[in-house]
C-alpha cells in the first residue's frame, strides 16, 4: 500500500513511519521539519521511503502527492492550546484548512486514517472507535 503521512517527522509520525515501512508499505512523508529532520534518519536509506520538505499550508505543493496515495494519515498539526493561542491563524490553517483541503482532494477509492489521542474525547475507559 502507498501511504502519505503529513507531519511524518513529528512525535507520532517518527514512530509510525518506520513501523509502516517495516510492514512493507511504501511511505511518503510531507513535513516542514519545524523541529528538525533527525527523527526520520533511520528511514533515510529505506527503498520504500520518500520524504519531502513541504508545509501543509501550501496546497499547491501538497496536491501532487495526494493522487498517488492509497491512504493518507494526516499528522501535521500545531498541538496544544498554548501554542494555538499564540498563533491562531497558523493553527487554523494547519489544523483545520490543510486537512480539509486534503479530504476534499481525495478520490472515493482513497481512505484517511485519523489518529487521535483519548484527550480529544475526555476520560474514557473504553476503546474509542
Amino acid at each position: 500500500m502507498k501511504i502519505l503521512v503529513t507531519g511524518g517527522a513529528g512525535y507520532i509520525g517518527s514512530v509510525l513511519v518506520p513501523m509502516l515501512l517495516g510492514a512493507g508499505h511504501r511511505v511518503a512523508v510531507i513535513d516542514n521539519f519545524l523541529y528538525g529532520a533527525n527523527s526520520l534518519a533511520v528511514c533515510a536509506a529505506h527503498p520504500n521511503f520518500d520524504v519531502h520538505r513541504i508545509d501543509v499550508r501550501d496546497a499547491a505543493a501538497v496536491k501532487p502527492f495526494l493522487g498517488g496515495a492509497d491512504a493518507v494519515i494526516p499528522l501535521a498539526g500545531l498541538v496544544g492550546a498554548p501554542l494555538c493561542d499564540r498563533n491562531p491563524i497558523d493553527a487554523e490553517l494547519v489544523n483545520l484548512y490543510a486537512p480539509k483541503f486534503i479530504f476534499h482532494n481525495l478520490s472515493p477509492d482513497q481512505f484517511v486514517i485519523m489518529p487521535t489521542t483519548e484527550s480529544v474525547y475526555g476520560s474514557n475507559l473504553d476503546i474509542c472507535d
Side-chain angles (χ1 to χ4, degrees):
M1 181 176 290
K2 295 177 185 174
I3 302 172
L4 174 64
V5 182
T6 67
Y11 184 73
I12 296 172
S14 63
V15 175
L16 178 63
V17 168
M19 292 174 68
L20 293 170
L21 291 167
H25 300 289
R26 292 192 56 79
V27 180
V29 167
I30 291 175
D31 202 296
N32 67 1
F33 298 106
L34 179 64
Y35 300 109
N38 288 341
S39 62
L40 293 176
V42 69
C43 303
H46 198 288
N48 289 334
F49 177 68
D50 293 307
V51 63
H52 307 276
R53 184 182 294 265
I54 296 173
D55 192 307
V56 294
R57 294 172 292 186
D58 185 350
V62 171
K63 190 170 185 174
F65 294 93
L66 298 177
D70 298 310
V72 177
I73 304 175
L75 298 177
L78 296 179
V79 180
L83 177 59
C84 292
D85 287 345
R86 281 194 304 272
N87 198 339
I89 293 171
D90 278 342
E92 189 170 27
L93 290 171
V94 172
N95 298 346
L96 175 63
Y97 290 109
K100 283 177 71 171
F101 172 81
I102 290 170
F103 303 153
H104 286 109
N105 283 278
L106 295 177
S107 75
D109 297 334
Q110 296 171 292
F111 62 94
V112 175
I113 300 170
M114 275 301 280
T116 186
T117 64
E118 189 175 309
S119 65
V120 171
Y121 302 102
S123 180
N124 187 354
L125 299 177
D126 297 322
I127 295 174
C128 296
D129 62 10

